[in-house]
Every structure is written in C-alpha cells, then in structure tokens.
Amino acid sequence: MKILGIETSCDETGIAIYDSEKGIIADALYSQIELHEEYGGVVPELASRDHVRKAIPLIKQVLAEANCSKEDIDAIAYTKGPGLIGALFVGVGVGRSLAYAWDIPAIGVHHMEGHLLAPLLEDDKPEYPFVALLVSGGHTLLVDVQDLGQYTILGESIDDAAGEAFDKTAKIMGLGYPGGPAIAKLALKGRPGIYKLPRPMTDRPGLEFSFSGLKTAVANLYMKSDKSEQALADIAYAFQEAVVDTIFIKCRRAIEQVFEQNQQVGRNLRPAISALRPSLVVAGGVSANISLREKLSELLESKGGKAYYPRPKFCTDNGAMIAYAGFARYQAVLEGIGEFEEPAIRAKPRWPIEEL
C-alpha cells in the first residue's frame, strides 16, 4: 500500500510517499524560512501563496523519486488541521482534488497526530501505550496515548508554546528567525549560573505550561545587559535551560502520573500500562533541541523506560508524518475501525486532538 502525504499547515510544504512494506520511499520539503525571515515570523497570506506555487511541483518530484505513477497510489493523506486556515486549504484542496481525479480515498489528518506518530517511522519505535510530548512553534502539550486515536490531554500551554517563546525571545535579542536553532547555537557559548530565570508553573501541581512570563523576563534581562556577545550567549543559555527544565519537570510529573501511579493503585483499571516500562514520545520542532533530548532521555532511563524521537528531519513539519498517519488511519478503516470522510473540502484551523 502506498500513501501520498501532503503537509501545508504553516510555513513548510511537505510531500512524501509511505510504502507499507518499505517505509518512506520519497520525501520532499520546501521551507519558507527565507520568505518570512524579514518579518520575524510567518505571514499567513504569503505562506498560503507559496504553498500554491510549490505543492504540485513537489508532488511530481516525489512521484518521480519513488518511480511511481498515479496508478500506484492507494490513498492521499493531507493535513486537515490545526493550522493557518489559508495554508490548510491549499493542501486540503490539492489532496481532495487529486483523490477525486485518481478515484482513490482521501484522508484528513490531524497535524499533531502526525507529529505524535512520527517516531513510528523509525526502526526503534515505541509501542502503545505511551506518553507523548508534542512541542513546537504552535503547540506544547502532554498526551496520554492509549492507542491510535485514543488520546487524553494531560496538560498544555495556556499562552505561548515553547517554540513560539524561542522565536519571540530570539526576536527580542536580534537573533533572527527561526529562533530555536539560533538560541541553541548561541547557548553553546553561554556560561551556567550567570543568570537565573523562572521555571514557570513548576511551583504548583499540574501539567500546564506557560512561557509568556519567561519571555518577558528575558526581555528585561536583555534591556539591562551590555548586549555584548558573551552577555547574549549567557542569556540564551539561561533561557534554554529554563525552558528545558520546565519541560523536564512537567514530563516527570506526567510519567509518574500515568505509569507509576497506575502501577501502585490502578493495576485493575489499566493493566496494559501497569505492565509496561514508561515510554515517552517527544515530537515537534523543539524536539530537535539537543539539550532537551539529553535531559528527557536521562529522565526515562532513571525510570527504567525509554524516550523516543523522530530523526531530526522529521521533527519539523513534513509530509512523511502525514503520509504515515494517513496509512495508520486507512489501515484502521480496513480493519473496521472508523470510516472515510465524505468527499468535501473542509479544513479545521482549530481541532482538539481529543476529538479524534
């Protein structure tokens, strides 16, 4: 079975083909970073127009790369939401139109489910159930994953997502866009202990995140600093450390809540979880951060479990994760679980993952 995946939720046009026997056999990604860099963030209208220009050429490219024709494609998966409404409509329109013309099913995929399932593209993959940390420019949330489509949100950001905080902090410091890689690179030159920034919402129970106050604290530090290269590096180090520590603390709580607590008092209620080692899936653009990966891997090892990540190229938005998620959904329908949507061009810019 071969699934063509189309991702156009924000500022990257991703197209890929997933083969049920061989895995990803073709993958292409066009990033709009240069287009939006001068504005310091994504301009929705420009993003939509660029998707229009790139989608069809990239589809032709991956078909040629995979040595496939339209007759070889069994279904088309596209990002239905959440995301920028104009950008989503490009992928939805292209995906639905091609599926109609080629007389094959079209599958609307939840963007965050794509990220959640991305580590399943790797040889070393997690098994259900697991806890997922989805951390990107638009989302920061912890999810209890029982099986495909069985998701419970444990906690999420009440304001800026972690990736958004990286971007805004980088903009404050004049580091350019996107902010995550710029701050991570600068932080390598920073010195520990020079600045101490807050770990938001870690002094109270719960799994919610908040990064807007941290961004404000960095802005105050930056205004008071001498703005030398070393001062900026020290601020970048302190900011990254604060974000990583905050996420670490919340993930530790989630692991304890979902796995350890159930082993102690909930064996009869959730025997599948109580019998398994803790597993944490970490996905989304911020999951590429090396410092975050190291701390979360150490956390899971200390709990007798393991953390799973997609390869770096599949951390950011990409067509491969959408193709795989589409395959998983298609396979579920064949097994009698769920059904295909009616053929209509619909996008959902706001779409809670618990609705799946």
Side-chain angles (χ1 to χ4, degrees):
M1 182 188 300
K2 294 182 177 64
I3 310 294
L4 174 68
I6 302 172
E7 157 59 22
T8 64
S9 65
C10 190
D11 61 342
E12 281 149 335
T13 312
I15 310 293
I17 297 175
Y18 178 80
D19 186 302
S20 58
E21 296 181 356
K22 301 177 181 179
I24 296 297
I25 57 175
D27 173 47
L29 182 69
Y30 175 77
S31 174
Q32 300 177 1
I33 286 177
E34 291 185 6
L35 176 65
H36 302 289
E37 189 172 14
E38 65 177 296
Y39 305 101
V42 178
V43 181
E45 180 62 23
L46 295 181
S48 303
R49 293 180 183 182
D50 217 36
H51 287 309
V52 172
R53 286 190 287 265
K54 300 298 181 181
I56 296 300
L58 287 178
I59 289 173
K60 292 180 178 179
Q61 177 182 324
V62 298
L63 287 171
E65 181 183 334
N67 194 27
C68 290
S69 66
K70 62 182 182 182
E71 287 77 19
D72 296 314
I73 304 300
D74 295 286
I76 295 177
Y78 58 86
T79 302
K80 182 178 178 180
L84 301 175
I85 184 63
L88 288 170
F89 265 126
V90 177
V92 174
V94 170
R96 278 289 177 188
S97 298
L98 285 179
Y100 181 80
W102 296 354
D103 194 26
I104 56 177
I107 304 161
V109 171
H110 191 289
H111 178 74
M112 298 311 293
E113 182 175 58
H115 278 301
L116 187 153
L117 298 177
L120 298 179
L121 288 166
E122 308 303 325
D123 293 333
D124 183 17
K125 63 187 69 175
E127 295 183 357
Y128 299 109
F130 52 80
V131 171
L133 168 68
L134 305 179
V135 55
S136 66
H139 302 83
T140 303
L141 64 158
L142 283 161
V143 187
D144 179 1
V145 180
Q146 287 295 294
D147 206 333
L148 178 68
Q150 297 180 26
Y151 311 133
T152 302
I153 294 178
L154 301 170
E156 58 188 323
S157 179
I158 62 174
D159 43 52
D160 292 351
E164 186 179 4
F166 269 101
D167 287 340
K168 290 181 177 179
T169 297
K171 188 174 182 178
I172 290 169
M173 297 172 63
L175 300 180
Y177 174 84
I183 288 179
K185 182 178 180 180
L186 185 58
L188 293 174
K189 302 176 183 178
R191 298 169 295 178
I194 303 299
Y195 297 113
K196 181 68 174 179
L197 290 170
R199 276 57 174 165
M201 298 184 71
T202 58
D203 59 349
R204 69 191 76 175
L207 295 171
E208 286 73 30
F209 297 89
S210 171
F211 294 106
S212 63
L214 180 58
K215 174 195 64 184
T216 302
V218 170
N220 292 334
L221 265 184
Y222 175 74
M223 293 300 293
K224 296 175 182 177
S225 73
D226 61 12
K227 300 178 181 58
S228 65
E229 183 177 351
Q230 186 60 60
L232 294 183
D234 292 337
I235 294 173
Y237 182 94
F239 170 77
Q240 178 176 262
E241 185 181 46
V243 172
V244 170
D245 282 353
T246 299
I247 293 174
F248 172 88
I249 291 168
K250 299 292 184 174
C251 285
R252 183 177 60 198
R253 290 180 184 176
I255 292 296
E256 292 171 353
Q257 176 178 316
V258 173
F259 287 93
E260 295 183 356
Q261 181 177 331
N262 279 283
Q263 286 180 348
Q264 295 173 10
V265 299
R267 288 181 180 273
N268 294 331
L269 296 176
R270 305 177 75 180
I273 281 185
S274 66
L276 292 175
R277 296 186 309 157
S279 295
L280 176 70
V281 160
V282 187
V286 182
S287 71
N289 185 280
I290 300 300
S291 179
L292 179 63
R293 287 190 175 214
E294 289 176 350
K295 288 211 67 169
L296 292 180
S297 292
E298 291 173 3
L299 168 64
L300 269 295
E301 288 174 8
S302 72
K303 300 289 187 183
K306 187 171 182 179
Y308 296 86
Y309 312 88
R311 70 196 77 169
K313 67 180 291 187
F314 293 156
C315 288
T316 57
D317 296 349
N318 63 86
M321 67 181 192
I322 301 304
Y324 179 79
F327 162 73
R329 288 286 172 178
Y330 188 100
Q331 191 174 45
V333 172
L334 294 182
E335 294 172 356
I337 304 172
E339 58 186 19
F340 293 123
E341 298 175 304
E342 60 181 15
I345 296 178
R346 295 194 182 115
K348 299 184 74 170
R350 296 184 181 276
W351 188 9
I353 196 169
E354 290 179 304
E355 291 184 1
L356 295 178

